[in-house]
Amino acid sequence: MVAKIIAIANQKGGVGKTTTTITLSAALAKNGYRVLVVDLDPHACASVHLRFYPDESSFSVNDIFADEAHDLDYLWENIRQHHYYGFDIVPANIRLAELEVDLRSRKGKGGILQNALNHVSKEYDFILLDCPPHVGILLVNALVASDLVIIPIQTDFLALHGLKLLFDTLRILNKVLPNPIVYRALPTMFDRRARACHRVIELLTQKLGDRMFSTVIGIDTRFRDASAKGQVIFEIAPDSRGAREYNELAEEMLRL
């Protein structure tokens, strides 16, 4: 068996990508699955959340894209860090922001990540990719490598307007890839008291149908508390609404 690779992507920031990556990874890990998190965001939010600081590491995900990264055994031995909750992580680095220039003339640049992940795919059940909030070479690499794309969508009308670019990218890639990219939308930051949030859910359901998770992630301040402590929500509030909903998401994803 090889790992199922899941990209968490949306070109809009602040919709819950990193929270989804970390919490879903933790939900899978606590149920015995072998999980790897790859932080592809130059801002390194997932890495910092888990207390893996870019300045303190000699290796990062940037080394996957470096020209000199020929020895994949040596590379993976050095770039992986283990989080005590039970999953591995490859931290990000601000140098990722320079890849558009660095890889400008590189052949096969859209498949670099896929090639590197193939080297360790048998060691994991799931590999989760925390994608940057813009369309570029990093996002293309993540989409090409993925078996499933989870698109967190904030249940806000303004957030809906920002989806077109991502869906356009998916359509373009599907024209050239041997297998179409499978995606599911995940409603996030849902406020049950707000009529507008319910209306957004209705619109998403009408538009996406079965390409949307039935799980809805609500607003929960415990996510912020967990981030401040460098922990996952299951450590500080295992019975909270947010923890329960990500458990439900993990269960729903496993049924796909």
Side-chain angles (χ1 to χ4, degrees):
M1 295 292 291
V2 297
K4 185 169 187 175
I5 301 175
I6 302 168
I8 293 84
N10 189 328
Q11 84 285 0
K12 186 180 185 303
V15 298
K17 290 193 302 295
T18 297
T19 296
T20 296
T21 303
I22 291 172
T23 315
L24 180 57
S25 296
L28 292 167
K30 73 184 180 67
N31 282 293
Y33 293 98
R34 301 167 301 165
V35 180
L36 172 67
V37 174
V38 181
D39 189 353
L40 293 170
D41 190 341
H43 295 104
C45 292
S47 305
V48 173
H49 181 133
L50 298 171
R51 298 297 185 260
F52 294 107
Y53 300 105
D55 294 340
E56 297 177 1
S57 177
S58 300
F59 293 88
S60 73
V61 71
N62 193 70
D63 293 288
I64 287 177
F65 297 94
D67 283 329
E68 60 268 21
H70 299 304
D71 188 343
L72 289 175
D73 287 324
Y74 176 80
L75 174 68
W76 282 109
E77 183 180 338
N78 286 278
I79 64 174
R80 279 183 286 191
Q81 305 286 337
H82 184 70
H83 189 268
Y84 64 85
Y85 199 76
F87 55 87
D88 292 342
I89 180 170
V90 178
N93 190 288
I94 189 62
R95 287 178 295 170
L96 288 170
E98 302 169 0
L99 280 184
E100 297 291 339
V101 175
D102 294 345
L103 300 178
R104 185 169 45 197
S105 59
R106 180 109 164 249
K107 291 183 178 180
K109 58 187 175 184
I112 295 172
L113 180 63
Q114 182 181 48
N115 180 60
L117 294 179
N118 285 342
H119 201 72
V120 295
S121 61
K122 292 183 179 180
E123 299 179 34
Y124 297 98
D125 300 302
F126 295 96
I127 298 174
L128 278 72
L129 314 175
D130 189 23
C131 298
H134 59 269
V135 175
I137 190 63
L138 283 167
L139 180 59
V140 169
N141 265 265
L143 296 178
V144 168
S146 65
D147 301 301
L148 171 68
V149 180
I150 295 178
I151 307 172
I153 302 176
Q154 183 180 357
T155 48
D156 177 272
F157 281 103
L158 291 177
L160 296 180
H161 293 288
L163 289 173
K164 184 178 184 300
L165 186 58
L166 179 59
F167 284 123
D168 286 346
T169 303
L170 289 170
R171 279 192 290 269
I172 292 170
L173 288 174
N174 280 340
K175 291 179 180 179
V176 298
L177 292 176
N179 299 305
I181 297 169
V182 177
Y183 68 86
R184 290 288 185 279
L186 174 68
T188 62
M189 301 182 183
F190 179 67
D191 186 346
R192 288 161 177 78
R193 302 165 299 177
R195 184 177 301 176
C197 287
H198 288 275
R199 179 57 180 155
V200 170
I201 294 289
E202 292 175 7
L203 292 172
L204 286 172
T205 303
Q206 293 171 11
K207 178 73 174 177
L208 299 175
D210 60 3
R211 289 177 295 179
M212 189 172 83
F213 284 106
S214 59
T215 302
V216 176
I217 307 298
I219 295 172
D220 192 331
T221 59
R222 292 293 193 158
F223 290 121
R224 189 180 302 119
D225 296 339
S227 177
K229 295 179 179 180
Q231 297 177 308
V232 297
I233 196 171
F234 302 111
E235 295 178 271
I236 68 165
D239 297 320
S240 64
R241 176 179 291 169
R244 293 197 306 271
E245 289 167 346
Y246 273 102
N247 278 329
E248 292 171 8
L249 175 63
E251 293 171 4
E252 185 176 358
M253 191 192 69
L254 289 168
R255 294 194 297 267
L256 292 178

